[in-house]
Every structure is written in structure tokens, then in C-alpha cells.
Amino acid sequence: MESGDSDDEKPIVVGTTSAPSTLDPAASWDGSWELFRNVYQTLVAFPSGAAAPEADAARCSFKDTTNRVYHCELREDMKFSDGDPVDAAAVKYSIDRIRAIGVKGGPNGLLGSLDRVETRGDRDVTFHLTKPDATFPFVLATPAMSIVDPGEYPAKELRADGKVTGSGPYALRSYTDDTKAELVENPHYKGFADRKNDAVTIRYFTTSSEMVAALKSKEIDATFRGLAAEDVVDLQGKHDATGLQLVEGAGTEISYLVFNPKDPWAGKRAVRRAVAQVVDRGAIAHKVYKDTVEPLYSMVPRGLAGHTTDFFDDFGDPSRAKAAELLSGAGITAPVPLTLWYTTDRYGSATEPEFTEIKRQLEASKLFTVTLKSRPWKTYEKGYRDGEYPVFGRGWFPDFPDADNFIAPFVGQDNAVSTPYVSPVITDQLLPQSRGESDRGAVVRQFERAQQIMADDSRLLPLWQGKQYIAASEELSGGERALDPSTIMMMWELQRKTSW
């Protein structure tokens, strides 16, 4: 029989290097979503293989032709893991508390188009928007919009007891900070997920090498986020000898540099464009990541409508001569001093070698002198939010698979990187135009123009686009179905292969 049919079957154990920063959805716009997707529930979600949001806790659709009134009807007799009802009031409460708490850099930034939430009876919820926004269903599908139990989550502050009360496929039985999360079947769950197992334990590792060692010694059954390039290369094509399998899928994770406009050097457009002219993405992808990532020449990754290659079109191959011309044209003749910051424990063990390679490239041009600095994520995040860093590295795991989510979060006075980027053409013209169009394939022109502007400004410098990898025991199946479009693992798809 399959594992999901046995009460005494041991849990599937999954390893990742992406530990949650919080257990409260109102505070999270980061990798915490990997856990949230499995223990909380959203109104709509992305089942395996879906390109657009589909029903989860509710059936939803726009009720007008202008994409400003979005209505949802909840499933009947839904309950949280503790037995409390999941009703329209709980949905309104969950969304309203995100805005009431307003965590800096938190998911409130996703609700910019929301005016108010109305309920009627126990099952009807209507979202009234301030402007047309065809991406709003995508926003509701993010784990940030998880439905929480009003009886367990304070209305104006974050929950502080380290527990979770959700209505997702699993209940959180126990959680040890940065170490382990134990997930068990939520008997009250009603939604799209077809759970293939009864329990999953997530173990959090600090390095890929530790995680892969645990996989090889059968302490864990699968790994997800955080596999280092050398470990991926080592595992490729070796399943016959090791008893392991490597599942590869297209990814939309990106890595990029952010330039602080308040810094005396990074704030100069000529300096930013000279950096863009020197950086060799191909060398980073090949030398550091062993071709497990691909060079990226726009903020919108390949595979999404609206992807371009503007940074290549504008700058071409790396050129010291062209970079020198950019600087001299701005009256800059001496080497430019830049300080580049990166986090030591967020995006994998290749981050330090990546920034070492960027430093090498810039200094080899004789046009820059580079100082590298780093911090662990918890203090690194505070530093960039406080505007401390002249240039810093970030990664982006998309909220939803639409070009809008690779542009909108990074522009405006308040954005996801806490580094103001004022571009009225993008924020006041192009994004509103695109959000008025329900057919997301029909908005390519707006996104192409936005990326032209972003490449010209070079306030953000895309570096590479990642792929998705799951390394797992050959006794496990479902890995190819377990990844959603936002690179979050849907644990319920994993199962042990039938044994007799």
C-alpha cells in the first residue's frame, strides 16, 4: 500500500536551507511561504501545473468588466485545524490584520490596490479595489494571504506563542526555531490538495553539504531549496550508484544587485551603467554555479510573457573600454570605490564565491576598487531596510508567475528592497495599463517598455535565473509535481513508492 494509507508509516523528511523568519503570515514576504503553503490555506492557489490561480478555499472571479470587484464563495463547512469555522468573517479578519499591523517590508505591500473587504453571510467575500488590477487573484494566491483563526491571532499585533492555527493540508504539530517543523494531517482540510502522505517533517540546514550528507545517510528523504551547484553537479546522472534521484525543473528565482541612490557613488547613473558594462554573467553562471543557473539580462525571467534581454541589448558583452567611456563621460577618471554587501546564510553557499567573482571582475577592469562585506540574514535584512548598504545582493522568489511581480515590487517610494526607486512612467502609466488587462499575454508591450526604463536607469542589475532541483531517495515519488510556480514545495505531493 502507499504511505498515505498507513497510520504507522514514518513521516517523509524533507531538508531545506530556507528556514522561516516568522510563523505569522502578516509578517512574511520571504521564504517562510514554503512552510505556510502547507499549513495555511488561501482562497485561490496554484495546483501542480497551473498557470493561473484556481479554487482552493473558495471559488472566485471578477464580477465587473473593469477588474475592480472580486468575489469569492467559500466551500461549505470549512474548519481550522482546531475545529473553529473558516468563514467569511475569518477571511476579512485575515486580510484586514495584514494592513492593520503593517509590518515594514511585509505583505501589506501586496495589497496596494485593495480598498475594502466586504462580507455577506458566512460564505461570501467581496474585495473592492481602488483601481483595475487583473493581478489581484495572483496576490490572493500567495501564502501571505493565508487565512488565520481570529480567535488565535491578535488583530493589531503578531502572534507570539510560536504556534500555527491554519486550514491547510497539514497541521503544525511542533516547531523548533531554525531546526525542525513537524507536519501532520489536518483532518478538517477541504481544498484542492490531494495529500499523498500523512505526515512530513521539514529539517532546516545551514549548508547544502550538511543537507546532502543527511540525504545520502538516509536521515532525510528529499532536499529542496539551497542545493549548492557542486552538489547538484555531483548528483546529476548518479542515481543508479547512489540510490538517489535528481528532479530538475524550470525556475523563476532570480539574483540581482540593488544600488542605493543615496550613496555618493552608487547613486550616479554612470557608475551603475559602468558596473553593468563590466559584469560577466556568463562567467558567474559557469565558474561559480557550474551552469546550474542561467545568465539573466532583465528583471523578468525567461518563461514569462514580457521577458526581454534589455541589459544585453544595451551593453552587449562585457567591455572595459565601454565602461571607461561611460565613466569618463561623467567626469569620473579615478577608480570608483564601491562596497558590496551580501548575506551569508540566505541564498546558498555559492553567494560568497559569487560576490568574490563580481569583485574580481570589477577590479580587473581597473575602474573600481571593491570592498566586500556580509552579515547573516536577520541582521542583513535590517541593514538594507535602514539604507546602510551602497550596493547589495538580493534574490527574488516570485510571489506569483507574472511579469508584474518582477517589476512592481521594486519600483516606487516604498518597495520590497526598501530602496526608493521613483519611476512615474512605470508606476503611474505602464503598471496600471497592464493591470487593466485580464489576458496576461496581452500586456507584453507595457512590460517591455518598463524593462527598457529599468535597464537605462540600472538601479537594479539582474545577474542570473535559477533552476529548480529536488534531490530525493529513489524510493520517493512526486517530486516533479511538488514544485509550484513560485518555487514552493507542495509537500502533499510526495509519497513513498508502493512496496509489497
Side-chain angles (χ1 to χ4, degrees):
M1 68 174 67
E2 294 180 349
S3 63
D5 297 323
S6 174
D7 292 334
D8 56 1
E9 183 72 50
K10 66 179 181 178
I12 291 173
V13 184
V14 177
T16 178
T17 61
S18 182
S21 62
T22 176
L23 297 182
D24 192 327
S28 175
W29 199 352
D30 61 19
S32 304
W33 289 6
E34 185 173 311
L35 176 62
F36 291 179
R37 175 59 75 204
N38 292 278
V39 296
Y40 291 108
Q41 189 175 22
T42 48
L43 292 169
V44 291
F46 287 94
S48 180
E54 298 181 10
D56 189 1
R59 293 180 301 177
C60 304
S61 63
F62 279 106
K63 291 301 181 183
D64 65 336
T65 58
T66 62
N67 295 331
R68 293 182 61 175
V69 180
Y70 194 67
H71 175 261
C72 296
E73 181 183 3
L74 290 167
R75 296 176 186 265
E76 294 185 22
D77 300 323
M78 297 184 65
K79 295 179 181 180
F80 289 104
S81 57
D82 64 357
D84 287 347
V86 178
D87 54 18
V91 173
K92 175 176 169 58
Y93 183 91
S94 301
I95 302 300
D96 286 348
R97 76 183 289 267
I98 292 173
R99 300 203 292 179
I101 296 172
V103 172
K104 184 178 180 181
N108 187 42
L110 291 168
L111 294 171
S113 65
L114 179 62
D115 178 22
R116 67 190 188 279
V117 185
E118 288 185 347
T119 63
R120 187 180 64 180
D122 291 336
R123 295 176 56 201
D124 283 3
V125 184
T126 301
F127 299 88
H128 295 272
L129 310 183
T130 59
K131 52 192 173 184
D133 187 358
T135 69
F136 189 72
F138 291 80
V139 170
L140 288 182
T142 68
M145 304 300 141
S146 296
I147 307 166
V148 300
D149 187 342
E152 301 292 342
Y153 290 78
K156 296 186 178 181
E157 60 185 30
L158 299 175
R159 184 173 181 174
D161 64 1
K163 297 181 180 180
V164 164
T165 310
S167 59
Y170 299 97
L172 183 66
R173 182 167 66 184
S174 69
Y175 177 74
T176 305
D177 191 31
D178 295 338
T179 302
K180 182 171 66 173
E182 292 184 309
L183 281 56
V184 295
E185 176 187 0
N186 174 11
H188 300 298
Y189 172 71
K190 290 184 178 181
F192 75 85
D194 179 15
R195 196 174 44 239
K196 305 295 196 306
N197 59 70
D198 289 334
V200 173
T201 295
I202 305 173
R203 284 186 52 188
Y204 300 108
F205 295 85
T206 56
T207 67
S208 174
S209 58
E210 292 174 334
M211 186 166 63
V212 172
L215 178 66
K216 290 180 176 179
S217 64
K218 299 187 177 181
E219 296 174 43
I220 63 176
D221 299 297
T223 72
F224 175 42
R225 189 169 291 167
L227 279 175
E230 57 268 23
D231 290 320
V232 171
V233 171
D234 181 63
L235 290 166
Q236 285 174 332
K238 291 186 177 180
H239 67 277
D240 290 338
T242 63
L244 302 176
Q245 56 178 316
L246 186 70
V247 178
E248 177 181 333
T252 50
E253 169 196 0
I254 68 170
S255 177
Y256 59 98
L257 296 179
V258 182
F259 293 86
N260 189 338
K262 295 183 179 180
D263 181 78
W265 290 108
K268 297 180 184 294
R269 176 173 174 270
V271 170
R272 300 193 300 266
R273 289 177 62 80
V275 172
Q277 185 64 74
V278 170
V279 167
D280 187 341
R281 296 167 178 81
I284 294 170
H286 182 67
K287 293 171 60 176
V288 178
Y289 288 96
K290 315 299 182 186
D291 299 317
T292 60
V293 304
E294 299 176 320
L296 182 63
Y297 296 95
S298 74
M299 289 296 288
V300 177
R302 275 180 293 275
L304 296 183
H307 166 71
T308 69
T309 56
D310 279 291
F311 275 88
F312 186 82
D313 298 341
D314 284 8
F315 300 101
D317 292 324
S319 169
R320 190 262 180 206
K322 291 180 180 178
E325 185 177 343
L326 287 168
L327 292 174
S328 62
I332 302 171
T333 55
V336 175
L338 289 177
T339 300
L340 273 60
W341 282 83
Y342 64 92
T343 179
T344 57
D345 58 353
R346 187 63 174 177
Y347 304 119
S349 56
T351 305
E352 181 179 357
E354 175 183 1
F355 274 76
T356 300
E357 171 63 15
I358 293 173
K359 171 183 168 72
R360 186 199 68 76
Q361 293 177 9
L362 293 176
E363 292 191 333
S365 72
K366 308 298 184 183
L367 301 173
F368 302 92
T369 58
V370 177
T371 301
L372 295 182
K373 292 188 176 183
S374 62
R375 285 176 177 168
W377 175 254
K378 289 185 178 179
T379 52
Y380 179 80
E381 183 181 27
K382 183 180 185 302
Y384 77 69
R385 295 203 185 285
D386 291 342
E388 292 182 25
Y389 311 148
V391 186
F392 59 96
R394 279 295 311 270
W396 185 251
F397 300 98
D399 304 321
F400 49 84
D402 188 275
D404 183 283
N405 194 237
F406 291 88
I407 295 176
F410 306 111
V411 294
Q413 186 65 32
D414 298 312
N415 57 44
V417 293
S418 298
T419 306
Y421 179 12
V422 178
S423 178
V425 174
I426 295 178
T427 57
D428 300 341
Q429 298 179 33
L430 299 175
L431 288 176
Q433 289 172 12
S434 71
R435 289 172 176 174
E437 176 58 65
S438 297
D439 180 1
R440 305 309 293 160
V443 294
V444 170
R445 179 181 59 82
Q446 288 90 343
F447 291 131
E448 288 179 343
R449 175 64 182 132
Q451 290 174 90
Q452 290 171 356
I453 294 171
M454 296 173 83
D456 188 60
D457 293 338
S458 295
R459 285 282 309 279
L460 303 159
L461 185 64
L463 296 172
W464 52 259
Q465 174 178 349
K467 303 175 184 178
Q468 296 192 80
Y469 294 97
I470 294 178
S473 163
E474 62 181 5
E475 299 174 358
L476 210 65
S477 66
E480 68 282 355
R481 300 187 306 273
L483 299 176
D484 85 347
S486 298
T487 68
I488 295 172
M489 180 177 276
M490 299 180 288
M491 304 294 179
W492 59 84
E493 293 286 0
L494 301 176
Q495 63 180 319
R496 299 190 192 282
K497 295 179 180 178
T498 302
S499 59
W500 299 92

